[in-house]
Structures are given as structure tokens and as C-alpha cells.
């Protein structure tokens, strides 16, 4: 049985990936410092899969612990989610972001190199493209100057990975996520935003359940059909499955380059208003919203060309926008009634 380390494995995308890994027959060990996740997620993963992943609670900035971990454990591959991810916060605290997202990446890669662990999957983001000149966005679209320290850590992370693979036995795949949404069909795991959600879907579900008064739609004067901005929203379970495909590619030595990059999106874009309408239809209720000013730093439109992932990873998003929105809504209801948040 292959043993896979998932850093940040109790977070939103991490927890869904752990479930998919276990269900695909991998033995999983998680490192998570619980800075933006909850220990109870471990039990909820276990109740979905019937298998309790091994868990180590520590901060990857503790370099010695990272090295000790890799010396003690026999690991076949690493999926690295652990990172800070609040774009706005990163603008105010850039050093926190460079330390949390860059130092930790360096420590993990060094420990991997020292212990002959060769397969690494990196969480990257479509933010590296900025406002792309052509849509849909292919992997060869130029990387644009980052809009935030967070975005910059993803670009630098990709470069670190690429440079490391050229001089070591390491093989790396960076997955550039478009907009991950939704929750597990069991409604046992999902997104747990801290405070006021910055992202669209949690804001919508919190509004619908009555925590927020109304959704503010950031701008209706974009050059799109209905004037609102367009994104490629992908179900977190589909995204999780892309990680398994990428990992298998490395483990089975099917990668064509030592460092590869794949877009992970659905290939089609939805405007904010389309999302609101789809949510209303899927959940059969009205959503209060108003139009406000554009949000600083937002781009007009982004959606993926997924040809490369389809061809090379044999992966394609399968769940619909309705699946995404309904699962997010079921999760929100579950949080509300169940005091899942402790
Ligand atoms: N958005 C919005 N109201 C909100 C949150 C987001 O209108 O309260 C819009 C945002 O301007 C963008 C889209 O929804 O066009 C997706 O935003 P999100 O923050 O979820 O993801 P991003 O693409 O910015 O990473």
C-alpha cells in the first residue's frame, strides 16, 4: 500500500482529497497545524471512509519536526495543501504569507530530497494567469505579475518546485485550481470559513440561511453578457480526484517532464448573476442581493481550457453546477443545525 502525506489534510480541499485517496486504496498520513481547520474533521473523514488517517499536529515552519517526520516515516508521495490563503490578509501581512507558504514548501522539499521521497503535488492557482488575454485559459498562457502576496507565493512556489525538480530526483506536478466550491455528498465535510466569508459561495449560503442580510455582487459593469464577472467553479470532489490522477501519474512514472502543470477547472464559466440564479433554482428559494462597486483586484473573466488534464491525467470534472450548489447548501444547513463548528 502506498503511503501518502497530505499536508493541510484537515482543510477544505485537503479533507476531500484524503477521502478520495483512502477510497482509492492509499494509506494516508496528515500533517496539519489546525490554524485554519478543526480536529473534528479527522473523525468526519473516518466516518465517511471507515478508515482513520494517521494524524500529526505541527506547524511545517518547525523545520526540525519536518525533517524528523520524513526520517521516521516511509512516504511514497506528498500532496501539499498547507498554506495561508486569505488574499486580503496577505496584502496586510506579506511576511506571514512568505513565511507560511514559502518557508514551509522549502522545508518539505528539502526533507523529501534528503529522504528519497520523489513525488510531489503542489496546490497552485489560476490567479497566476491574472486577467488572461485569451479565454479559455491554457497552461501556456503567460504568468502575470501577481496581484497579492498570496498570489505571489503560488508563483514563487511553482518556480521553486520547477527548479528543484531539474536538479534532484524530485518529480512535481502543480495543479492550477480555478474556483473550488461545494462539499462532500455526505455533508460531513465542507468549507468552514472563518468570520465573514470572502468567497462567493459561502457568502451566498450564509445569506440564504440568514447569517448575512444580503449578498453584495461586486460590479455589474464588467464587459460580460450580464455585466457580472465570470469564473470557472469546480466541485471540490472533482478537484480532489484530479490530485489522485496526478499522484498516480508520478507514482507510475508516466509524467513526461519532471515538472508539469495542469489546469483544474470545468472548462466553462459562470457569471455571478448566473450563480445566484442557479442557486435559487437548485434550492428553490430567493436570495437577497444588491449590486455594489467592483472589488479591487478582481478580474473580468477566467475559465480553464482543460484539454491537457483530460489528455494527460485522464481527468475531467463530472459534477454539475447544480451538484456544487446543492452540496454547498446541504453543508451550510448541516453546520447550522449540528453545531459542527466547535
Ligand atoms: N463575489 C461577489 N460577492 C461576494 C464575493 C465574491 O460578487 O461577496 C464575486 C467576485 O467579485 C468574483 C466572484 O464572485 O467575481 C468569485 O469570487 P471569489 O472570491 O469566490 O473567488 P475569486 O475568483 O475572487 O478567487
Amino acid at each position: 500500500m502506498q503511503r501518502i502525506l497530505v499536508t493541510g489534510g484537515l482543510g477544505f480541499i485537503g479533507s476531500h482529497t484524503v477521502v478520495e485517496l483512502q477510497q482509492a486504496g492509499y494509506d494516508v498520513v496528515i500533517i496539519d497545524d489546525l490554524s485554519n481547520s478543526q480536529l473534528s474533521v479527522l473523525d468526519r473523514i473516518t466516518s465517511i471512509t471507515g478508515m482513520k488517517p494517521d494524524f500529526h499536529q505541527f506547524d511545517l515552519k518547525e523545520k526540525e519536526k519536518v525533517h524528523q517526520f520524513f526520517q521516521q516515516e516511509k512516504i511514497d508521495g506528498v500532496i501539499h495543501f498547507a498554506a495561508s490563503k486569505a488574499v486580503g490578509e496577505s496584502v496586510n501581512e506579506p511576511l506571514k504569507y512568505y513565511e507560511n507558504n514559502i518557508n514551509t514548501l522549502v522545508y518539505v522539499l528539502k526533507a523529501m530530497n534528503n529522504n528519497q521521497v520523489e513525488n510531489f503535488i503542489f496546490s497552485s492557482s489560476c490567479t497566476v494567469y491574472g486577467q488572461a488575454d485569451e479565454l479559455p485559459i491554457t497552461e501556456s498562457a503567460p504568468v502575470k505579475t501577481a496581484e497579492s502576496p498570496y498570489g505571489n507565493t503560488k508563483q514563487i512556489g511553482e518556480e521553486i518546485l520547477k527548479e528543484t525538480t531539474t536538479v534532484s530526483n524530485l518529480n512535481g506536478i502543480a495543479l492550477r485550481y480555478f474556483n473550488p466550491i461545494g462539499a462532500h455528498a455526505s455533508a460531513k465535510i465542507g468549507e468552514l470559513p472563518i468570520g465573514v466569508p470572502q468567497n462567493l459561495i459561502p457568502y451566498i449560503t450564509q445569506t440564504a440561511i440568514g447569517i448575512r442580510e444580503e449578498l453584495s455582487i461586486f460590479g455589474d459593469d464588467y464587459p460580460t453578457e450580464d455585466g457580472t464577472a465570470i469564473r470557472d467553479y469546480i466541485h471540490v470532489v472533482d478537484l480532489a480526484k484530479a490530485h489522485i490522477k496526478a499522484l498516480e501519474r508520478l507514482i507510475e512514472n508516466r509524467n513526461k517532464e519532471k515538472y508539469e502543470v495542469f489546469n483544474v477547472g470545468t472548462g466553462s464559466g459562470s457569471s455571478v448573476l448566473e450563480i445566484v440564479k442557479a442557486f435559487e433554482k437548485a434550492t428553490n428559494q430567493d436570495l437577497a442581493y444588491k449590486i455594489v462597486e467592483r472589488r479591487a483586484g478582481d478580474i473580468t473573466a477566467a475559465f480553464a481550457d482543460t484539454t491537457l488534464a483530460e489528455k494527460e491525467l485522464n481527468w475531467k470534472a463530472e459534477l454539475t453546477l447544480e451538484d456544487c450548489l446543492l452540496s454547498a447548501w446541504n453543508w451550510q444547513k448541516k453546520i447550522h443545525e449540528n453545531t459542527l463548528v466547535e
Side-chain angles (χ1 to χ4, degrees):
M1 213 178 189
Q2 303 269 352
R3 187 158 165 84
I4 307 302
L5 167 63
V6 181
T7 73
L10 298 183
F12 175 42
I13 307 171
S15 58
H16 289 82
T17 303
V18 170
V19 167
E20 295 303 317
L21 279 168
Q22 288 186 314
Q23 290 178 339
Y26 290 95
D27 178 26
V28 178
V29 50
I30 294 170
I31 299 176
D32 197 304
D33 68 354
L34 303 182
S35 60
N36 190 15
S37 60
Q38 295 179 5
L39 189 55
S40 61
V41 173
L42 194 61
D43 293 331
R44 291 185 241 146
I45 291 170
T46 310
S47 88
I48 295 171
T49 64
M51 289 168 273
K52 188 162 190 154
D54 282 346
F55 173 61
H56 295 255
Q57 184 186 340
F58 66 88
D59 185 336
L60 295 170
K61 290 199 294 294
E62 296 188 65
K63 190 177 178 178
E64 276 315 309
K65 287 199 177 157
V66 176
H67 282 268
Q68 272 167 19
F69 174 87
F70 277 93
Q71 271 168 3
Q72 284 159 10
E73 298 267 346
K74 196 202 152 295
I75 299 294
D76 298 289
V78 177
I79 306 182
H80 182 55
F81 292 106
S84 298
K85 61 173 186 180
V87 177
E89 182 188 57
S90 79
V91 175
N92 296 320
E93 297 180 68
L95 294 179
K96 172 177 170 182
Y97 276 68
Y98 291 112
E99 190 176 31
N100 283 358
N101 296 5
I102 302 297
N103 288 19
T104 56
L105 173 66
V106 171
Y107 300 157
V108 170
L109 293 179
K110 266 190 134 173
M112 288 176 70
N113 272 341
N114 288 341
N115 293 282
Q116 293 79 47
V117 184
E118 296 175 356
N119 304 313
F120 187 83
I121 310 295
F122 180 62
S123 295
S124 190
S125 165
C126 67
T127 56
V128 302
Y129 299 119
Q131 179 56 68
D133 302 323
E134 284 174 42
L135 294 169
I137 305 172
T138 66
E139 288 80 355
S140 53
V143 168
K144 298 262 175 79
T145 306
E147 291 271 354
S148 68
Y150 165 77
N152 209 18
T153 65
K154 292 299 168 189
Q155 295 191 6
I156 296 169
E158 285 194 3
E159 286 167 11
I160 290 172
L161 183 56
K162 183 176 182 191
E163 289 161 359
T164 308
T165 57
T166 59
V167 294
S168 69
N169 288 333
L170 192 80
N171 290 289
I173 291 181
L175 297 179
R176 290 177 176 162
Y177 311 156
F178 281 68
N179 288 53
I181 62 168
H184 197 263
S186 64
K188 288 181 175 170
I189 53 173
E191 195 169 2
L192 287 168
I194 299 174
V196 182
Q198 304 302 306
N199 294 115
L200 180 63
I201 307 306
Y203 206 102
I204 286 178
T205 58
Q206 288 197 5
T207 304
I209 208 123
I211 301 172
R212 312 279 158 210
E213 210 169 302
E214 60 186 342
L215 168 73
S216 294
I217 294 183
F218 299 140
D220 69 349
D221 56 352
Y222 284 101
T224 62
E225 214 156 285
D226 63 25
T228 63
I230 290 174
R231 299 287 183 274
D232 184 340
Y233 296 92
I234 174 159
H235 199 297
V236 64
V237 172
D238 276 331
L239 175 57
K241 288 178 176 164
H243 291 78
I244 318 299
K245 296 282 192 177
L247 182 72
E248 276 168 7
R249 181 176 173 88
L250 296 185
I251 287 177
E252 293 166 13
N253 297 314
R254 285 186 282 107
N255 48 317
K256 292 187 173 156
E257 311 279 346
K258 294 207 66 191
Y259 170 71
E260 297 178 318
V261 176
F262 297 101
N263 284 341
V264 188
T266 66
S268 73
S270 306
S271 73
V272 179
L273 270 175
E274 282 169 347
I275 293 289
V276 168
K277 299 294 166 211
F279 181 82
E280 290 182 324
K281 188 162 173 240
T283 62
N284 205 16
Q285 59 181 327
D286 291 336
L287 186 82
Y289 68 86
K290 64 176 175 198
I291 309 290
V292 300
E293 289 290 290
R294 291 184 183 192
R295 181 169 70 179
D298 272 358
I299 56 169
T300 302
F303 50 95
D305 185 319
T306 57
T307 314
L308 196 66
E310 278 174 43
K311 182 165 169 268
E312 297 296 332
L313 297 181
N314 191 25
W315 169 91
K316 188 169 178 235
E318 284 166 355
L319 297 165
T320 64
L321 186 59
E322 191 186 357
D323 295 326
C324 290
L325 296 172
L326 260 184
S327 64
W329 176 233
N330 288 336
W331 169 240
Q332 180 69 61
K333 286 192 290 192
K334 192 80 171 286
I335 299 174
H336 210 65
E337 75 205 19
N338 235 343
T339 56
L340 276 176
V341 186
E342 61 266 344

